Amino acid sequence: MRENASMLTGKPLRVIAAAVLLVNGLFPALWILFTSFKTEAELTVKPITWLPQAPTLANYMRAFSDQPLHLFLFNSFMVALLSTLLTLFVSVLAAYALARLNLRFRGLILGAIIAVSTFPLVTLLVPLFEVMRALNLLNSWTALILPYAVLSLPVCTLMLVSFFETIPRDLENAAMIDGCTRFGALFRVVVPLSAPGVFTAGILAFVNAWDEFLLALSFNSSPALRTLPVGIQLYQGEFAFPWPVISAALVVGIVPVAVLIVLFQERVVSGLTTGAIKG
């Protein structure tokens, strides 16, 4: 009886929680999408119209003509891609060492990784800026690629450790008996078997780099190197905010990430759920 009662009371709560999450996540995205098809005059109409009355693509054309949106997209894509590749390479090596080597201070290292991942980005801004300036890397892709990789390393490393620990050592030993080196066994056996975790870590690193604003604004002042989050703020004027055009630019910026997640949806879900169970 008590179990049935708890199930009856738990189901409505789950439905309500799911509805809240759906509205919180879906409504802003739909509002931006609808706004991107409206005219500026339609936004000031009262009462508010949720759907565009006369949909137009002019805002998307203005998004590319008013600012070099294609350049912002290219810079963001290259920075996010290169930082993701660097993050995966380093995190795979770090996770393998933590999962396989008998490190004396393994628990301390894992604790330090968790602690570092909790630092607010704003507290790291000045030290990172000074390091980039000392290395003469400001106003370059490298000034963003390196910090983005460092910021994504803790989460990606912890995620991959949980996957690597579940892979039997016998598989690596068999590969090394057949002639593989330690690195060969890692990249030919361990990494392929941990594909869901690797894909999930890669997508998390890519999205973090794609959406980052503070470092991109601070480290690159060259117009030719602006990334998408920094470029979008240029659409606003001194006394005017062309929300339809800004919304169109936002939609264009969301599409690549949405396509990436849709294409690798099964692997991401598998990686998150499996990693949670294994961890």
Side-chain angles (χ1 to χ4, degrees):
M1 293 292 291
R2 291 182 179 179
E3 293 181 358
N4 293 334
S6 62
M7 291 178 61
L8 292 175
T9 56
K11 187 175 181 179
L13 291 177
R14 289 195 296 269
V15 172
I16 294 173
V20 170
L21 291 175
L22 182 64
V23 171
N24 183 59
L26 187 60
F27 177 76
L30 289 177
W31 180 253
I32 292 173
L33 178 62
F34 295 154
T35 302
S36 68
F37 292 105
K38 294 181 179 180
T39 61
E40 292 189 29
E42 191 175 348
L43 288 179
T44 60
V45 173
K46 293 185 179 180
I48 295 175
T49 57
W50 299 102
L51 297 176
Q53 302 301 308
T56 176
L57 294 176
N59 298 318
Y60 288 89
M61 291 185 286
R62 281 190 57 188
F64 283 93
S65 61
D66 290 2
Q67 297 291 339
L69 184 59
H70 63 284
L71 180 61
F72 302 155
L73 289 168
F74 176 73
N75 288 334
S76 287
F77 178 78
M78 293 304 299
V79 168
L81 177 63
L82 294 176
S83 66
T84 299
L85 294 177
L86 179 59
T87 300
L88 289 178
F89 180 74
V90 177
S91 61
V92 162
L93 297 179
Y96 184 76
L98 290 169
R100 287 292 189 261
L101 302 183
N102 296 321
L103 300 177
R104 183 177 180 183
F105 300 104
R106 181 178 182 275
L108 182 61
I109 295 172
L110 288 173
I113 292 175
I114 296 173
V116 168
S117 66
T118 62
F119 288 179
L121 180 58
V122 67
T123 63
L124 304 175
L125 178 61
V126 174
L128 286 174
F129 183 87
E130 291 298 327
V131 170
M132 292 300 121
R133 184 172 65 175
L135 295 175
N136 198 27
L137 293 177
L138 294 178
N139 290 320
S140 68
W141 281 352
T142 309
L144 298 179
I145 293 171
L146 293 179
Y148 289 170
V150 171
L151 293 173
S152 297
L153 271 175
V155 174
C156 294
T157 300
L158 291 174
M159 179 177 294
L160 292 177
V161 166
S162 66
F163 277 88
F164 291 173
E165 286 181 336
T166 61
I167 297 175
R169 294 174 182 262
D170 293 341
L171 296 177
E172 299 166 60
N173 295 334
M176 287 187 284
I177 291 174
D178 289 339
C180 276
T181 62
R182 174 72 70 174
F183 281 98
L186 169 61
F187 289 102
R188 293 184 181 183
V189 178
V190 179
V191 171
L193 292 176
S194 303
V198 174
F199 272 96
T200 304
I203 289 178
L204 289 176
F206 186 92
V207 172
N208 288 338
W210 182 269
D211 292 338
E212 203 284 322
F213 172 79
L214 184 59
L215 298 185
L217 177 66
S218 304
F219 293 175
N220 282 340
S221 59
S222 173
L225 296 173
R226 290 190 179 113
T227 57
L228 185 64
V230 177
I232 287 177
Q233 71 164 348
L234 300 177
Y235 287 96
Q236 67 184 46
E238 185 176 359
F239 303 106
F241 290 86
W243 292 117
V245 179
I246 294 175
S247 298
L250 287 172
V251 171
V252 173
I254 292 172
V255 166
V257 177
V259 170
L260 184 67
I261 293 175
V262 169
L263 289 177
F264 298 104
Q265 173 180 309
E266 293 183 3
R267 289 185 177 270
V268 172
V269 173
S270 175
L272 290 173
T273 55
T274 306
I277 294 172
K278 293 177 180 178

